[in-house]
Amino acid sequence: MPSVAISTSQVRALLLSENRQTNVTTPMGNMMLEIQGDLEIPETSHADDRFSSHEGVDIVKFGLLHVNMETKSATLFIGKKQRLLGSVVKLDTPLGLLKFNHKSGTVEMQDIFSYKVIFKNRPLPIM
Amino acid sequence: MSTNLYSRLSCDPSYKLVQLTPELLEALTSDEPQLQFKCFDEKRSDVVLCSARRTWLLRQKNHSNTVMLMREFLPEDEQTQEDSSLFGIPRPINDLLGYSRTTYEYETRATEGRINLDLVPIYNGEVNFPGESKLKGRTLKDVFDNSPSSETECKVRWYQLGGCVVNGCPCILSPDMLSNALHVTLMSALAESLDFDRLHPCETYEVVQKDVEKGRSPYVLEVVRTVLAKFGTPNDDETWKLNRRQVAQWYGVRALQKFASRHSVPLEEFLIKWKSTFPPFAGFDIDIKMLRGWFCEPTRGTVQYVSKDTLPVDVKDRFKMLFKLQSQWDLEAFAPFIEDLNTKGLKIDTFIMKYARKRRIGKKIVVCSR
Amino acid sequence: KNFRIWVRYKEGFSDAVRKNVSWHDLWS
């Protein structure tokens, strides 16, 4: 019968220390971004200074995020043309982040999200 | 606060999100062993999540938004940003890299853990047990580890099923073995005036050994332990309180099987026969209502055994069969025959009304076919 | 430049579909 234990020592320590997320990023440095739509970014690198690499992996700079933690409002600039208005919301049910390691066949719960930044409105042009 | 957002061109698909309900958060912070994903088999069964004490069915909730998981990082080539590219917002103070995207979350729904009885042999008192059983060499812990269930639920369910460990081999006591063991245990306990509210396995085993024939007795300590655990509730001090109703029910079902299988019998006659199956002076109360779910009344005032093995799995067929056995049922007598089919957890009379008709006769509600 | 970085907006949001998870799904 297949089974796998979930390694939870990391989040257990977090929960017991009562070091909870109160900002857009978790104490472990993760953030959840949600957009009501499809975020289209290239699948391959191009000769443009938005493309670079990190730890051997190709990455692209796709946007700029501004958050006002007092008002819990957020603005997301996508590329050079789109501006989205959104907010920081507290999740009704926190979400555990599970990492499945296919090589070792192990599972680890690495973090807990209590907040997300969500953009539900139609993108506006950048004036 | 402003942040530069980056994304990997190819996201890492090995991350998933699971909803952490209050029960799960409690399991995470307890001292008990870890959470596990378990599944009966790789191809067909559903994955469950188990803590030490509880089991949840895993459900995938898809959604139509883009959810990107991001983490703080240091870009390898810092670039100075011109003010015009900041669109009037403050200069970014950090950088986030999107490493994964998800289109679903896992929800958890509380469910009953199940024991995997594959390869667990039936024990009927055989001398050379377990013989060449495929489970030889495996322990009860192995059976529990291989079950999509929490350990606590396994332990409770194991004894409910008549689970036992004989000669080191996990097994299930056959109905005959269980009946005989219960009968011998009750007789021996009565003879020695043991307190039925405080039965200790070892003490009970000792009195059973006094009453069985010399030579090899199949009623080893573990069998007695299973009898007490199946028909009792635990006290604080390793003793068991006999559940008299459950014992009476067990005898009642066996009596139905023995006396009312082929033909119906008058109720009064059945009650006398049922009472006669108990050990003398046992003093167990009986009531035909205890056996609801095991019998029908083909004609007024008679009872006949209904084997659960003969009940159709299809809901319409089952209703049809039950109304063929008995044209009209009290709601309380009917419900036990169909509640396992109510998989959506509707109120039982709401569920029944989907396939039958309900009528009120005086204070009673009766159910009949449409 | 022949690439685009863009949000294709969706009018509504749906999350009603739920299904059980197989071992294969868990590891896919």
Side-chain angles (χ1 to χ4, degrees), chain C residues 7-8 11 17 23 26-28:
Chain C
V7 164
R8 193 151 44 92
E11 279 299 337
V17 174
W23 196 254
L26 195 66
W27 287 95
S28 63

Side-chain angles (χ1 to χ4, degrees), chain C residues 14-26:
Chain C
S14 80
D15 67 343
V17 174
R18 284 162 173 82
K19 66 180 192 101
N20 291 350
V21 179
S22 68
W23 196 254
H24 174 77
D25 293 334
L26 195 66

Side-chain angles (χ1 to χ4, degrees), chain A residues 36-57:
Chain A
Q36 187 171 306
D38 294 322
L39 174 61
E40 293 176 6
I41 54 175
E43 289 176 9
T44 52
S45 203
H46 288 73
D48 183 281
D49 55 12
R50 281 173 285 182
F51 292 86
S52 59
S53 73
H54 177 71
E55 294 177 351
V57 171

Side-chain angles (χ1 to χ4, degrees), chain B residues 271-342:
Chain B
L271 290 174
I272 293 168
K273 288 191 152 114
W274 179 5
K275 196 78 179 174
S276 74
T277 62
F278 289 103
F281 314 112
F284 288 93
D285 295 328
I286 62 171
D287 181 341
I288 194 64
K289 288 180 186 166
M290 285 178 177
L291 304 184
R292 279 176 170 163
W294 296 95
F295 73 96
C296 65
E297 295 176 78
T299 54
R300 202 180 164 81
T302 67
V303 296
Q304 185 163 8
Y305 174 60
V306 176
S307 164
K308 288 197 191 298
D309 293 337
T310 60
L311 293 175
V313 171
D314 175 76
V315 58
K316 286 183 183 166
D317 288 345
R318 188 173 300 185
F319 273 70
K320 195 171 165 188
M321 177 190 169
L322 290 168
F323 289 126
K324 204 169 165 191
L325 289 172
Q326 184 177 325
S327 57
Q328 197 170 271
W329 292 77
D330 286 350
L331 182 62
E332 295 87 7
F334 191 75
F337 283 107
I338 47 83
E339 54 199 10
D340 62 308
L341 296 175
N342 181 15

